[in-house]
Amino acid sequence: MTTAMSPSHEALKVPEVMSALRLSRSKVYDLIRSRQLVSFTVGRARRISPDSLRAFIQEQIEENAA
């Protein structure tokens, strides 16, 4: 039996995160390297969960509001 996964279970590719944040590829990888943006790999593919992206955005909002 198979079930479809909801969109919250999707894994985003780096170009999708680049588009969402309007940042360059190198900046997204800098955020990943500095652990500000949590990611994981499957083989050689780097993926970011939508929850990680939302958490990053929320952290940025909170930091800039202070």
Side-chain angles (χ1 to χ4, degrees), residues 16-64:
E16 294 169 325
V17 174
M18 290 167 47
S19 178
L21 295 176
R22 307 285 197 265
L23 294 174
S24 68
R25 181 177 186 267
S26 62
K27 183 60 181 175
V28 171
Y29 278 106
D30 285 345
L31 293 171
I32 292 169
R33 201 171 5 265
S34 67
R35 299 181 190 257
Q36 292 178 309
L37 185 60
V38 179
S39 69
F40 61 95
T41 57
V42 178
R44 293 182 58 192
R46 175 74 56 184
R47 297 293 183 258
I48 298 97
S49 75
D51 291 337
S52 295
L53 182 57
R54 281 191 284 277
F56 171 76
I57 292 169
Q58 188 60 40
E59 288 172 15
Q60 295 304 305
I61 291 169
E62 290 171 4
E63 281 181 19
N64 290 308

